[in-house]
Amino acid sequence: MIIDLKKFTETERPYWIELEALLKKLEDNASARLSLDQLRRLHYLYERASAGLGKLMTFAVAPETRNYLEALVARAYAEVHDTRGQQHRLAFLTWFLHTFPQTFRKYIRAFALSCAVTIAGCVLGAILLAAFPENKSVLLPFSHLHGSPSERVANEQRNPGRIGGAEAQFSATLMTHNTRVSILTLSLGMTYGVGTVISLFYNGVILGAVCWDYITDGQTIFLLGWLLPHGVIEIPAILIAGQAGLLLASALIGWGKRASLRERLRAISNELLTLIGGVATLLVWAGLIEAFLSQRHEPEIPYVVKIGFGLVELLVLILFLAASGRAKEEAKAK
Amino acid sequence: MSAPVATLSIRTPEGISFHLLLAGTVPRFLAWLVDALAAMMVGYVASLLALFFAIVDQSFASAVGVISYFVLSICYGIYFEWMWRGQTPGKRLLRLRVMDMHGLRLQFSQVAIRNLLRAVDVLPAFYVVGGAVSLINRHCQRLGDIAANTIVIRIPETIAPDIEDLAGSKYNSLRDYPHLEARLRQTVTPQEAALALDSLRRAKTLDNEERVRFFDDLAAYFQTIVEFPPEATEMIGAEQYIRNVVDVIYRPPKG
């Protein structure tokens, strides 16, 4: 049997056009809400178009009508069948103060692994520099770290305010660069975590080598005064980016999980976004501190002030990540 | 013979299947080129605007420039794909759209993740990793799409169909033989019916000679399915014969 296509089209066309108009209204305005009557009508029109498509597939091959109806049913399907929660406007403070630390704690094991890889890199970096001091320029890719730490310290103390006047630009460069590195560390989770681990390990190697270089040259106080104010935020931020990368890798690998790959990836998508959003926020702070505080040394700012400031920041960060949003979490659990 | 079109089939709870045409690597690359050019232009305008801040402070102006460029490079795709439901200017131009893998509405996290993961797809340069992955992936997904559960589809041109012009409403000589008319409707397969309908739709795209030859062949083929007496066919051309066949198949007599 072949259906009377003309009659079919004539009868159904007004419904298709009505459905198209309703869909356009929803598509043009992401926050548009339909009344209950409109929703019922949308559902009716969707079912009618679906039935039409089914009829067409069974009783006739009319490619253009079928393509048109398929496209229409596909659009309506997305509106009718999406039962995932509607997204609300983001309340930044609630998200940063509650959701971010809660998510961090939820995947604390991935963070621990991220720390372990970085520490392993630090140890290797220190060992390599101790064993092959002549290859310092290979280990440390930044030219300002190639010279002797003592000379650098003497130079910085002789010429205070070296970057005076360019702090804003320097700060912006640091923020954007570090955020890019964090996004890459997260993205490399798609290499089943291999890329993320390499990235974290390499960062650790550089950090370990720098620390070893300054400590063995007797410049520990300078090192702490230079690194602590921004490093206590920047380094954990990179580690959290690594945590996100490892989380992505774990969803890809899916050990011991019965859910399909798509389900696993869907389950962590909001959490990945929360972690990387939190990292970006922390890096904005770290960028400001590095440009406006870390690069100013004695006699401009006493080391004890810088080290003290860094320790207070570290304490606040630990408290924030360990406890913020916990009351809400517990209330939810009850 | 044309290459098979990659599609994703989705079956609805109502038992209806629909197909989404997956976009290949080349149109996606072209869309990216358009977007890269558009972002560059916006970036240029933003850098000019940032110069105004130099009145306040040169370093501050540079900072605004650096941050604007960064925000633009990260947020361009996220902003447009979220606000334009899976489309950027480049995708809109090439009739492409990002969609959820299950045909559902895009969530913000999906849009953000597929755009953030460009960081790995773009490696080592010009989307070599993303391009290679999308070539071997059966849904033409790059790594960002896999992580976000998204696909990029081609949007077919859809116009509400109307066969009035094709079948015509003039006298149809085949209708003088109702038993043969009924046999034709009964015997012809949906594929053959679609071939006849499609050929009329595309007739204008053929040049005159091709058109005559093609419809001669097609009419000869349909006469082998059900042979109408010469009186019904000799006074009409091959194309009109096919038009009458379509009329018979798709518009059965009332009652």
Side-chain angles (χ1 to χ4, degrees):
Chain A
M1 180 185 124
I2 291 173
I3 57 168
D4 181 346
L5 193 61
K6 182 175 180 290
K7 190 177 163 198
F8 172 73
T9 309
E10 268 174 5
T11 318
E12 296 301 318
R13 206 167 181 235
Y15 296 100
W16 300 340
I17 289 167
E18 189 186 346
L19 179 58
E20 258 196 297
L22 212 50
L23 289 172
K24 193 170 181 327
K25 184 180 166 187
L26 285 170
E27 288 168 357
D28 286 350
N29 180 6
S31 58
R33 294 281 174 271
L34 298 181
S35 67
L36 186 59
D37 284 342
Q38 283 176 316
L39 276 174
R40 281 191 183 130
R41 187 72 185 158
L42 173 69
H43 188 242
Y44 170 75
L45 292 170
Y46 161 71
E47 294 216 312
R48 190 165 183 130
S50 296
L53 179 59
K55 207 184 276 183
L56 213 57
M57 282 166 145
T58 314
F59 299 117
V61 179
E64 288 187 12
T65 314
R66 191 176 127 163
N67 289 346
Y68 168 79
L69 263 184
E70 275 199 17
L72 196 61
V73 168
R75 282 165 68 194
Y77 173 78
E79 298 298 335
V80 171
H81 282 282
D82 199 343
T83 53
R84 295 175 295 180
Q86 290 295 305
Q87 282 160 346
H88 306 290
R89 283 179 192 284
L90 183 71
F92 177 79
L93 273 183
T94 313
W95 165 80
F96 185 68
L97 295 177
H98 299 295
T99 316
F100 172 51
Q102 284 167 358
T103 310
F104 167 80
R105 289 193 294 273
K106 188 173 172 187
Y107 299 105
I108 193 75
R109 284 167 66 185
F111 181 74
L113 183 57
S114 179
C115 290
V117 170
T118 307
I119 291 168
C122 281
V123 172
L124 184 73
I127 292 171
L128 285 175
L129 193 65
F132 309 103
E134 67 279 9
N135 292 330
K136 188 169 158 182
S137 57
V138 179
L139 271 175
L140 304 174
F142 311 107
S143 58
H144 67 283
L145 296 173
H146 290 170
S148 150
S150 311
E151 280 172 22
R152 183 192 167 196
V153 173
N155 190 37
E156 299 268 354
Q157 288 175 347
R158 268 199 309 275
N159 305 303
R162 202 166 44 93
I163 59 160
E167 285 92 346
Q169 186 191 350
F170 186 49
S171 173
T173 310
L174 291 169
M175 284 175 206
T176 53
H177 172 262
N178 289 336
T179 308
R180 273 187 205 284
V181 170
S182 302
I183 292 172
L184 183 63
T185 307
L186 156 73
S187 305
L188 286 170
M190 283 306 283
T191 58
Y192 290 88
V194 175
T196 301
V197 167
I198 291 173
S199 171
L200 289 169
F201 190 78
Y202 179 63
N203 281 336
V205 168
I206 295 173
L207 184 63
V210 170
C211 290
W212 181 261
D213 196 24
Y214 277 71
I215 291 167
T216 52
D217 203 30
Q219 300 301 333
T220 309
I221 299 294
F222 176 88
L223 178 74
L224 291 174
W226 167 44
L227 283 188
L228 275 187
H230 68 276
V232 294
I233 303 295
E234 187 184 295
I235 295 167
I238 303 280
L239 292 174
I240 296 172
Q243 174 189 22
L246 294 173
L247 176 62
L248 180 58
S250 123
L252 269 182
I253 298 165
W255 274 326
K257 289 171 189 163
R258 297 183 70 181
S260 70
L261 174 66
R262 283 184 207 167
E263 285 166 346
R264 295 196 304 267
L265 288 169
R266 196 184 285 277
I268 59 155
S269 63
N270 280 327
E271 282 148 351
L272 283 182
L273 211 56
T274 295
L275 288 175
I276 201 68
V279 166
T281 312
L282 291 177
L283 287 174
V284 169
W285 175 255
L288 288 171
I289 297 299
E290 184 167 3
F292 289 93
L293 180 65
S294 295
Q295 303 300 331
R296 293 175 190 274
H297 309 289
E298 270 187 350
E300 258 192 301
I301 302 175
Y303 290 133
V304 67
V305 173
K306 292 174 73 180
I307 294 170
F309 181 78
L311 290 175
V312 169
E313 272 183 310
L314 182 61
L315 188 67
V316 171
L317 182 69
I318 291 171
L319 282 174
F320 167 66
L321 291 175
S324 190
R326 200 176 273 279
K328 242 184 177 178
E329 210 172 29
E330 282 165 5
K332 213 185 231 179
K334 277 176 191 171
Chain B
M1 211 173 117
S2 61
V5 182
T7 58
L8 175 70
S9 178
I10 291 172
R11 194 171 172 81
T12 72
E14 291 82 9
I16 302 297
S17 294
F18 59 84
H19 300 86
L20 300 170
L21 305 175
L22 298 171
T25 310
V26 175
R28 289 179 69 173
F29 184 72
L30 292 175
W32 172 78
L33 270 184
V34 172
D35 286 328
L37 283 173
M40 235 185 322
M41 279 163 63
V42 177
Y44 178 68
V45 173
S47 66
L48 289 180
L49 290 175
L51 285 179
F52 283 106
F53 291 100
I55 298 165
V56 183
D57 177 45
Q58 181 59 47
S59 169
F60 185 63
S62 304
V64 170
V66 169
I67 291 176
S68 312
Y69 175 73
F70 174 74
V71 170
L72 189 70
S73 61
I74 299 283
C75 298
Y76 174 90
I78 298 177
Y79 174 80
F80 280 111
E81 284 179 11
W82 179 238
M83 297 307 286
W84 288 7
R85 290 195 166 226
Q87 288 191 304
T88 56
K91 287 193 177 80
R92 191 168 276 198
L93 198 69
L94 278 114
R95 301 188 61 83
L96 307 179
R97 186 188 288 278
V98 182
M99 282 202 68
D100 176 83
M101 190 81 199
H102 298 101
L104 302 174
R105 251 185 318 206
L106 276 179
Q107 299 276 298
F108 181 76
S109 58
Q110 290 180 291
V111 171
I113 285 174
R114 77 180 297 279
N115 279 288
L116 288 177
L117 263 64
R118 283 180 195 280
V120 67
D121 278 311
V122 79
L123 293 174
F126 294 106
Y127 283 85
V128 169
V129 167
V133 173
S134 74
L135 278 176
I136 54 172
N137 183 281
R138 69 192 169 108
H139 295 127
C140 306
Q141 292 170 294
R142 59 176 176 84
L143 291 174
D145 287 317
I146 296 171
N149 271 321
T150 52
I151 47 167
V152 181
I153 60 155
R154 277 193 291 133
I155 307 167
E157 291 225 37
T158 53
I159 302 157
D162 191 352
I163 67 158
E164 191 60 47
D165 295 344
L166 301 174
S169 53
K170 291 177 184 168
Y171 166 71
N172 182 348
S173 56
L174 306 188
R175 291 212 186 268
D176 293 342
Y177 305 90
H179 62 291
L180 293 176
E181 194 191 340
R183 189 184 299 165
L184 176 65
R185 266 198 305 278
Q186 203 172 29
T187 322
V188 82
T189 65
Q191 285 74 17
E192 287 163 342
L195 175 69
L197 185 62
D198 235 18
S199 61
L200 290 176
R201 280 204 173 102
R202 297 183 188 176
K204 283 179 187 162
T205 62
L206 301 173
D207 69 37
N208 289 342
E209 229 173 277
E210 270 181 341
R211 186 168 170 171
V212 170
R213 210 170 37 239
F214 174 76
F215 279 102
D216 279 347
D217 289 349
L218 196 62
Y221 175 76
F222 271 93
Q223 274 164 352
T224 63
I225 298 173
V226 174
E227 199 181 343
F228 282 85
E231 307 88 271
T233 57
E234 65 193 5
M235 297 300 285
I236 54 172
E239 188 171 335
Q240 185 57 46
Y241 177 77
I242 295 299
R243 211 171 279 278
N244 289 352
V245 166
V246 168
D247 186 40
V248 164
I249 296 170
Y250 286 102
R251 293 200 294 195
K254 291 184 174 66

